[in-house]
Amino acid sequence: MELERLSAELEDLQARYAFQEDTVQALNQVVAQQQRELDGLGKQCAELKQLLEQLLGEMDQLRPDEAPPHY
């Protein structure tokens, strides 16, 4: 009886371990995908920042240095 109980407990532990391995692998895939998305978003933000700085520089060049005569 004792051997049967230990065998059943061992099988239960093995099943739980296999389930946890699957869960950890699935979570790892999710984290890796999220990291790729974050990397892409970071790149997009850097590109948008550069474009905004470029546009602001161009706008500054279009502004007259002096106020119009009617001021």
Side-chain angles (χ1 to χ4, degrees), residues 9-59:
E9 288 180 6
L10 180 60
E11 287 179 22
D12 182 54
L13 287 173
Q14 288 172 333
R16 288 180 188 209
Y17 177 73
F19 178 75
Q20 287 180 347
E21 278 188 327
D22 291 343
T23 302
V24 168
Q25 183 62 30
L27 289 172
N28 187 48
Q29 289 174 357
V30 168
V31 169
Q33 176 62 31
Q34 288 179 339
Q35 186 60 53
R36 287 189 292 272
E37 290 175 10
L38 282 173
D39 292 343
L41 289 172
K43 183 178 178 182
Q44 286 179 347
C45 283
E47 291 170 356
L48 288 172
K49 180 181 176 187
Q50 183 180 9
L51 179 61
L52 181 59
E53 289 171 352
Q54 177 185 351
L55 290 173
L56 289 174
E58 290 175 8
M59 287 177 61

Side-chain angles (χ1 to χ4, degrees), residues 55-67:
L55 290 173
L56 289 174
E58 290 175 8
M59 287 177 61
D60 283 342
Q61 291 176 0
L62 295 176
R63 288 186 190 156
D65 291 336
E66 298 177 9

